[in-house]
Amino acid sequence: MKSLPYFCRGEVIRGFGRGSKELGIPTANFPDCVVEHLPADIGTGIYYGWACVGNGDVHKMVMSIGWNPYYKNTKKSMETHVIHKFKEDFYGETLSVVMVGYIRPERSYDSLEALIAAINGDIAEAKVQLERPEHVKLRSDNFFTSHSSSSSSSAASSSSSSSSSSSQTIINGH
Ligand code: ADP
Ligand code: MG
């Protein structure tokens, strides 16, 4: 996928209460304006990368890009599970992510157990992939350090290389 790594950030909004937290796998949702900026070659499926909440630490993440049932599956949704145990929810905070690689397509599961097993497999895969030196580098990209919490609520940018100047190409999400 030529658009990877793909950098974007936006406010964490409420999802549709599909109970991901109850499964032990909460997913932070991005607003439509972030999703609408996704390049065409980033299709639905499961991705791995790095994520940071507000000005906090950068953690590994897995992201699901899927069809949003709220819009009768005509719009995509982007849901990020940050591989870190947070003390509290962070609705309203800015989530910054870099999508680094693709794991697998979306699919449906016969049981909750099968779904949870698949997600845990994705998390394990993300942890391994992100240890590769070219991926570890992205963790300290300027994109994560140059963010000021007073900036606009969403922005997106992409970079075809892991250049540290990615933050210069941020465009306003509106
Ligand atoms: P919603 O349907 O509102 O997205 P979820 O059950 O998916 O609800 O929970 C998502 C929320 O949980 C996030 O918006 C965030 O505030 C919180 N949260 C806590 N820990 C995490 C985490 N490790 N990764 C993602 N979100 C988390
Ligand atoms: Mg969610």
Side-chain angles (χ1 to χ4, degrees):
M1 256 169 248
K2 68 173 172 48
S3 297
L4 296 181
Y6 181 73
F7 295 82
C8 65
R9 64 166 58 103
E11 187 187 336
V12 175
I13 59 158
R14 291 202 174 263
F16 308 107
R18 275 178 289 187
S20 27
K21 210 174 284 169
E22 285 71 34
L23 306 183
I25 310 162
T27 58
N29 292 52
F30 274 134
D32 293 343
C33 55
V34 175
V35 184
E36 282 160 9
H37 273 94
L38 272 177
D41 68 319
I42 298 188
T44 60
I46 313 299
Y47 294 79
Y48 61 85
W50 298 102
C52 147
V53 176
N55 295 318
D57 294 338
V58 180
H59 302 287
K60 292 174 177 175
M61 66 81 167
V62 287
M63 182 192 286
S64 158
I65 298 183
W67 294 105
N68 195 328
Y70 187 79
Y71 295 104
K72 299 198 163 66
N73 300 334
T74 55
K75 280 191 178 187
K76 283 179 194 165
S77 69
M78 289 166 82
E79 302 191 17
T80 304
H81 172 67
V82 186
I83 306 175
H84 178 74
K85 196 125 193 75
F86 290 89
K87 288 200 186 75
E88 294 177 332
D89 286 351
F90 44 85
Y91 290 110
E93 295 251 26
T94 299
L95 177 68
S96 301
V97 304
V98 55
M99 296 166 62
V100 176
Y102 175 80
I103 299 180
R104 63 176 175 89
E106 275 193 296
R107 54 159 290 196
S108 56
Y109 294 90
D110 303 336
S111 68
L112 213 53
E113 288 71 29
L115 170 65
I116 294 173
I119 298 171
N120 284 327
D122 298 334
I123 291 171
E125 170 86 9
K127 285 180 175 171
V128 171
Q129 290 295 335
L130 288 164
E131 288 304 320
R132 291 163 62 174
E134 71 267 34
H135 295 159
V136 168
K137 239 173 24 195
L138 288 165
R139 178 185 201 149
S140 45
D141 194 280
N142 275 351
F143 177 74
F144 291 116
T145 47
S146 62
H147 170 56
S148 122
S149 51
S150 62
S151 71
S152 80
S153 66
S154 74
S157 73
S158 68
S159 163
S160 54
S161 73
S162 57
S163 118
S164 59
S165 63
S166 58
S167 57
Q168 288 163 10
T169 58
I170 292 172
I171 52 159
N172 196 316
H174 292 280

